């Protein structure tokens, strides 16, 4: 059974940085092929949106336009952890952030499909 634990959220002032971590247990999906691992966020009253994703087969990454150039995914294969470095945070980035994973034989199927495994979420609050 794959389990995901996300962490690293907290309060930060606008312009600041945070690093979120998503640690997998049960299977080191960071090193296995054909896993999409994504970060989603959801703010109160808003729909959940996909922020960034990683495809384990070749390390492909994708970033939502709103975070391009500010957020970066990195991997720690030994710790089975995927990190999301968030720089230049804005109040609009405030949300509950979740990491999630699903099996996919193609990176194109990482987006727009339901994810199977979810972390518990970590809150990011950016004050102006």
């Amino acid at each position: 059974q794959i389990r995901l634990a996300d962490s690293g959220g907290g309060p930060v002032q606008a312009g600041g940085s945070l690093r979120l971590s998503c640690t997998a247990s049960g299977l080191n999906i960071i090193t296995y092929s054909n896993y999409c691992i994504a970060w989603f966020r959801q703010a109160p009253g808003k729909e959940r949106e996909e922020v960034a994703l990683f495809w384990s087969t070749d390390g492909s990454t994708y970033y939502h336009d709103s975070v391009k150039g500010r957020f970066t995914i990195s991997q720690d294969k030994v710790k089975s952890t995927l990190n999301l470095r968030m720089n230049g945070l804005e109040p609009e980035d405030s949300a509950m952030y979740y990491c999630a994973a699903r099996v996919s034989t193609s990176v194109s199927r990482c987006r727009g499909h339901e994810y199977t495994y979810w972390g518990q979420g970590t809150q990011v609050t950016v004050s102006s």
Side-chain angles (χ1 to χ4, degrees), residues 7-13 17-20 86 89 93-97 121-127:
S7 62
V12 64
Q13 290 192 330
S17 299
L18 285 173
R19 188 184 74 171
L20 305 184
M86 307 188 297
L89 284 164
D93 295 316
S94 295
M96 184 71 81
Y97 283 70
T122 185
Q123 178 69 40
V124 172
T125 304
V126 185
S127 59

Side-chain angles (χ1 to χ4, degrees), residues 27-40:
L27 182 69
N28 187 346
I29 59 176
I30 310 297
T31 59
Y32 267 69
S33 292
N34 296 334
Y35 276 93
C36 304
I37 306 167
W39 288 97
F40 291 85

Side-chain angles (χ1 to χ4, degrees), residues 53-75:
L53 70 83
F54 167 87
W55 191 45
S56 64
T57 299
D58 64 3
S60 298
T61 55
Y62 157 85
Y63 299 95
H64 190 276
D65 284 347
S66 64
V67 307
K68 278 181 182 176
R70 300 189 297 124
F71 291 12
T72 305
I73 288 175
S74 64
Q75 51 181 308

Side-chain angles (χ1 to χ4, degrees), residues 1-5 22-29 79-80:
Q1 177 73 14
I2 295 171
R3 292 185 173 84
L4 302 178
C22 176
T23 300
S25 60
L27 182 69
N28 187 346
I29 59 176
K79 296 182 178 179
S80 190

Side-chain angles (χ1 to χ4, degrees), residues 68-115:
K68 278 181 182 176
R70 300 189 297 124
F71 291 12
T72 305
I73 288 175
S74 64
Q75 51 181 308
D76 185 332
K77 295 181 179 180
V78 173
K79 296 182 178 179
S80 190
T81 296
L82 199 71
N83 298 307
L84 182 68
R85 179 69 179 182
M86 307 188 297
N87 294 328
L89 284 164
E90 304 166 351
E92 294 73 22
D93 295 316
S94 295
M96 184 71 81
Y97 283 70
Y98 301 89
C99 69
R102 68 183 301 270
V103 174
S104 177
T105 57
S106 168
V107 67
S108 65
R109 296 178 65 83
C110 287
R111 300 188 61 202
H113 292 271
E114 287 297 316
Y115 275 66

